[in-house]
Amino acid sequence: MSGSRLKSLTLLVALVGAGLALLSWSQTWFELRISDPVTQGGGDPIEVGGGIASPALAALGLAGLALVAALAIAGPFIRVVLAVIQVLLGGSIVLASAIALGDPVKAVAPAVTDATGVAGSEPTAALVASVDPTAWPWVAVAGGVLVVLAGLATLVTGGRWPGSSRRYSTTRLAEADAGGGAGAGAVAGVDDTDEVAASDAEHALPETDARRRASDRAVDAWDELSRGDDPTDDLDDDVDEDSADDAADGADAVADRTSGADTARDGRESPTEPSR
């Protein structure tokens, strides 16, 4: 049998065993009859569930289910540790069920206390007329045995189990001598991609700065409104200053053009020096 099938079968057995233990815990384990001093006989039967007769069984069953999930993804070393824990867990399930079956009067004592208000082991035992077990305690024992067998099977065959499948595999770089041409092309493609990305980033920077400045101006405007100032006054001043600067620049440009025209005209009107 292959390692993968051994793994699946072992995990299935452990899952069934833990499930049986958890299922039996929720069922009726005993039918209790309390003695009636008036009729000198037993009264109506009282159903006692596994949660009363063996309260630890729920935690043990849940732990068994968690161990199945852990074994499915564990490595070789952790698998051995979990298998040992699984054997101990299955033995605890069997022990908890056997204790209830071995002393049913003590197991149903909480139910007697709830029905009569009498506490203590001896007074409650005196009130018990009969205790009839059902098949569910034995189902819990069978579940514990299956968990123990699954743990032993894991210890024996765990080395043959395959590792857990990985959804994402690591990227491996190709060797230079294995694919020289393809490697060079890949490097060139990466360089081109980097250049394009850098160019896009450079073009995106001015737009980002413009948006940031616009956001800062909006925040400043709200701050001025909060202080009772008119934010448009500063804007008008800036516009006036810009207009004045533009007018000055225009006047300088006209003066430069006029000066250049005069110089050219003087050059055309000046007579040339006669040759000797």
Side-chain angles (χ1 to χ4, degrees), residues 28-274:
T28 300
W29 278 34
F30 300 101
E31 288 186 355
L32 167 67
R33 292 181 183 272
I34 299 177
S35 61
D36 189 355
V38 177
T39 60
Q40 298 297 324
D44 295 333
I46 299 174
E47 294 182 352
V48 181
I52 297 176
S54 183
L57 202 60
L60 295 174
L62 292 175
L65 295 178
L67 270 178
V68 173
L71 282 171
I73 60 175
F77 176 73
I78 301 299
R79 194 178 299 151
V80 174
V81 176
L82 293 178
V84 174
I85 296 175
Q86 192 173 36
V87 172
L88 297 176
L89 183 66
S92 300
I93 294 174
V94 174
L95 180 62
S97 304
I99 290 175
L101 286 172
D103 192 357
V105 175
K106 184 177 180 180
V108 300
V112 176
T113 302
D114 293 338
T116 62
V118 178
S121 57
E122 293 183 359
T124 54
L127 292 176
V128 174
S130 63
V131 179
D132 298 324
T134 62
W136 287 108
W138 297 104
V139 172
V141 172
V145 171
L146 289 178
V147 173
V148 171
L149 292 178
L152 294 176
T154 303
L155 287 174
V156 175
T157 65
R160 299 168 55 186
W161 289 12
S164 59
S165 61
R166 294 183 178 179
R167 185 176 181 182
Y168 303 102
S169 59
T170 57
T171 303
R172 293 179 297 177
L173 298 177
E175 296 181 0
D177 55 355
V187 173
V190 172
D191 293 339
D192 294 340
T193 304
D194 294 339
E195 291 177 359
V196 172
S199 178
D200 293 340
E202 291 176 356
H203 289 299
L205 284 176
E207 298 178 359
T208 304
D209 294 338
R211 288 195 297 268
R212 186 180 298 109
R213 287 195 296 271
S215 177
D216 293 339
R217 286 196 298 270
V219 172
D220 293 338
W222 280 110
D223 291 340
E224 291 179 0
L225 286 174
S226 300
R227 291 193 298 268
D229 299 333
D230 188 1
T232 59
D233 293 340
D234 295 339
L235 182 60
D236 294 338
D237 295 340
D238 294 339
V239 172
D240 294 338
E241 291 177 1
D242 293 339
S243 300
D245 293 339
D246 293 339
D249 293 339
D252 293 339
V254 171
D256 292 339
R257 287 196 297 270
T258 303
S259 176
D262 294 339
T263 302
R265 186 170 56 254
D266 294 341
R268 288 194 302 270
E269 292 177 354
S270 61
T272 59
E273 183 181 354

